[in-house]
Amino acid sequence: MRLFDTHFHLDKDCSFEEYRQKCAGDLRLAAGNFREVPKKLLMLCAGSNFAESQRARDFAAFAPEVYFACGVHPHDAANYLTDREDFSVFAGERKLLAVGEIGLDYFYDYSDPVSQKKVLEEFLALALQWDLPAMLHLRDKNDCRQAYEDALAILTPFVQAGGRFVIHCYAGSAADAEKFLELGGFFGVGGMYTFKAAHNIREAIAVIPTERLLIETDSPYLAPVPFRGRSNTPGMVALVAQALGCDRQMLPEKAAEVFTDNAIKFYRIGELER
């Protein structure tokens, strides 16, 4: 039995081996309701800027169970346009599974919307060039939809050109989820799904077919209940699988199998990891 955390960020204070051990310990802790601890934890390390993408690549080279993505988070969009780094150095890396974390974030004002959209379009073009899916971050101010509307407008020609995408840690509405579904989108579900007050997230995720869902942690953020408030690691993805599976009448072991298979197919990892 395997689990696949499809989106996390490295702990900057740990060595690679220390971090692997930390993840394994958290997996044993989080899998308490499984009949047995999953034997394999696959992980996809997301890059939010050039330096983080490099470190994600290095961790993937160090650990057989780790893959990586490279990109520029919308918070860093303006800085990237001022001082561009050459992301072409990642082209052709065997363990590169996605372009991301990229997207739009209108909740904060770290980068202006024009810069964010420009960087998103640039990296979507890179995803098409490299034939890789895009890993998206989308967030808007409360009761606003502009980020989702802008993303839909930008993603439509991307998909028409053959692009694929996943919206990580989806926190939009059910209505917007249906629009992204029409474009062929996939959706990442993280620890927020387990939060007591996150009714809106559970309602939105409920409209999404099981085969379009991936599980993630977004570590070190958003640790799932009952560990909310502590530093998160990919091992905690077991609790996300359990919660999401329970709402879909699946035992934890079945949920682990289904959501891992979804990720294997989406990222086209193939028989190598079976």
Side-chain angles (χ1 to χ4, degrees), residues 17-37:
E17 184 55 36
E18 287 173 336
Y19 193 72
R20 289 179 81 193
Q21 295 302 321
K22 194 174 181 180
C23 293
D26 279 350
L27 178 59
R28 290 190 293 270
L29 187 66
N33 287 328
F34 284 68
R35 286 194 300 267
E36 60 181 79
V37 177

Side-chain angles (χ1 to χ4, degrees), residues 69-118:
C70 65
V72 173
H73 193 285
H75 290 344
D76 291 331
N79 289 335
Y80 169 76
L81 292 174
T82 300
D83 186 16
R84 289 175 178 270
E85 290 105 343
D86 183 9
F87 276 79
S88 69
V89 300
F90 299 109
E93 288 277 355
R94 186 181 68 86
K95 300 188 81 175
L96 177 64
L97 293 189
V99 172
E101 175 177 1
I102 59 177
L104 303 173
D105 191 314
Y106 297 169
F107 187 84
Y108 293 104
D109 297 318
Y110 296 138
S111 290
D112 62 277
V114 172
S115 296
Q116 291 187 44
K117 287 186 281 187
K118 186 173 182 179

